[in-house]
Amino acid sequence: MIRIRGTVGGYPVALDIELDAQDWTQLGGLVSLQTSSEPEKVSRPVGPEKTRADPFWQLAQQILQQAGTLAGPALLVQLETLTGNTQAAKQLMVRLRHSNEVVVERSSDALLYRWQGSEDK
């Protein structure tokens, strides 16, 4: 038996599903479980490889480089327009903040992102 409890909107829901042996066998045939002794290794680009592979990252750098200096909210708006996603735009801002080419300064209103390029700071 499977029990599902929760809410839908403001209404409480309690659902019991009973399966006999044949139902469980049918369900097991639809689901194939991987029973390998070693976990599957996933290859993800890290560090510079990720930077080169991410077109939004390159464009985010170009936006800031062309502007020279941008306030955080203005940069966020431009990155949201670029990515079409607030979360992705915020992730790009974090990457810019930690980049060697960008200096982040505090002003009275917001953080200022300033492009430094490859110059020594």
Side-chain angles (χ1 to χ4, degrees), residues 92-118:
L92 286 171
M93 287 183 73
V94 170
R95 287 178 70 184
L96 284 169
R97 187 178 318 140
H98 295 286
S99 170
N100 292 333
E101 288 87 18
V102 177
V103 173
V104 179
E105 301 170 345
R106 295 188 184 275
S107 74
S108 59
D109 296 331
L111 293 177
L112 296 176
Y113 289 73
R114 186 166 39 104
W115 180 260
Q116 286 290 97
S118 302

Side-chain angles (χ1 to χ4, degrees), residues 43-112:
S43 175
R44 291 187 182 145
V46 188
E49 295 82 15
K50 181 177 181 184
T51 302
R52 283 192 291 268
D54 187 355
F56 288 135
W57 172 240
Q58 297 297 324
L59 292 171
Q61 288 179 316
Q62 288 175 3
I63 288 170
L64 187 56
Q65 186 176 14
Q66 289 174 358
T69 302
L70 279 174
L75 179 59
L76 180 62
V77 167
Q78 288 195 22
L79 295 177
E80 283 177 331
T81 302
L82 172 69
T83 62
N85 182 321
T86 302
Q87 187 63 32
K90 288 180 180 180
Q91 289 173 350
L92 286 171
M93 287 183 73
V94 170
R95 287 178 70 184
L96 284 169
R97 187 178 318 140
H98 295 286
S99 170
N100 292 333
E101 288 87 18
V102 177
V103 173
V104 179
E105 301 170 345
R106 295 188 184 275
S107 74
S108 59
D109 296 331
L111 293 177
L112 296 176

